[in-house]
Amino acid sequence: MERKEFELLYPQDILAHRIKELGLEISHDYEGLNPIMVGILKGCLIFMADLIRTVSIPVEVDFIYASSYNGGVTRDETVLVGRPKKSLTGRHIILVEGVVDSGHTAVETAKAVKEMEPASVEIVTLLDKPKSRKMAVNIKYRGFVTDDYFVIGFGLDKDQKYRNLPFIGRVIEP
Ligand code: IMP
Ligand code: MG
């Protein structure tokens, strides 16, 4: 980005603090349940890595790959490409998302996971954009509720770029 195309929304220390709170809550709620945290790639990347390190109970980790036909800012259709490698049957599943926007990805993924007959399925997302919601999503844990800005960084991309930014920025529309 040559010009200033984004502004800081959540700096690293704020993210770390909130993620630690989420990890504590999950550790408390899932004590003795040996949950599987299933990350929805790729947006979960950084959040999941940080979140699992704040969880103090035994957890297992797996991934599901959700992708859209549309590479840009909006997403019309969700395609689940990868399936978790482990059996989720009878297990307590925590789906880990970077951001819930329209709700398509979370709903489709939860549906696919429920077909595997887990004991329970909940969703944790770092960011929740309820104003963009097109379908109801039952989110159990959310890091931050944001306006319907397009955000980048901390695993979240714009055209596959900026996932590596260590903070979350809001894209400024020209
Ligand atoms: P949904 O399916 O519309 O809820 O969108 C969820 C997915 O869209 C996320 O996993 C992201 O890949 C992408 N997405 C939605 N909003 C943003 C954003 O503000 N920044 C980056 N990616 C986003
Ligand atoms: Mg994306």
Side-chain angles (χ1 to χ4, degrees):
M1 290 186 180
E2 288 169 10
R3 302 249 166 107
K4 190 171 178 271
E5 291 178 12
F6 65 88
E7 65 183 22
L8 183 62
L9 192 58
Y10 299 113
Q12 278 171 275
D13 56 338
I14 301 283
L15 289 167
H17 182 84
R18 182 68 188 125
I19 291 169
K20 201 168 178 181
E21 288 178 344
L22 291 173
L24 279 172
E25 218 177 322
I26 288 170
S27 304
H28 173 263
D29 293 352
Y30 285 84
E31 176 91 64
L33 296 180
N34 190 27
I36 309 180
M37 299 181 78
V38 178
I40 305 175
L41 290 167
K42 302 175 210 170
C44 71
L45 175 66
I46 312 289
F47 173 48
M48 177 128 165
D50 282 0
L51 180 65
I52 60 173
R53 287 181 289 172
T54 68
V55 170
S56 58
I57 56 164
V59 285
E60 294 175 35
V61 167
D62 211 328
F63 296 96
I64 196 161
Y65 200 124
S67 191
S68 62
Y69 287 123
N70 168 335
V73 168
T74 56
R75 132 186 315 248
D76 300 309
E77 197 162 345
T78 305
V79 190
L80 298 180
V81 189
R83 296 214 138 212
K85 297 263 184 283
K86 311 173 175 289
S87 169
L88 306 185
T89 308
R91 302 293 302 272
H92 294 277
I93 308 304
I94 307 169
L95 289 172
V96 184
E97 233 317 6
V99 52
V100 176
D101 188 48
S102 72
H104 273 108
T105 308
V107 166
E108 293 290 318
T109 310
K111 208 171 98 190
V113 164
K114 278 175 190 158
E115 282 167 13
M116 301 178 214
E117 299 182 354
S120 68
V121 184
E122 299 290 358
I123 296 171
V124 55
T125 185
L126 180 58
L127 301 184
D128 181 13
K129 300 201 288 186
K131 287 185 185 165
S132 311
R133 205 56 45 78
K134 291 193 182 130
M135 55 182 73
V137 187
N138 191 7
I139 299 173
K140 177 136 189 209
Y141 310 96
R142 52 176 64 68
F144 300 93
V145 175
T146 67
D147 244 314
D148 53 355
Y149 312 128
F150 198 79
V151 294
I152 50 166
F154 215 77
L156 302 175
D157 73 303
K158 182 167 186 250
D159 299 330
Q160 297 304 324
K161 294 192 296 266
Y162 313 115
R163 292 192 199 274
N164 57 314
L165 295 177
F167 52 83
I168 290 180
R170 167 166 97 88
V171 172
I172 302 168
E173 298 303 335

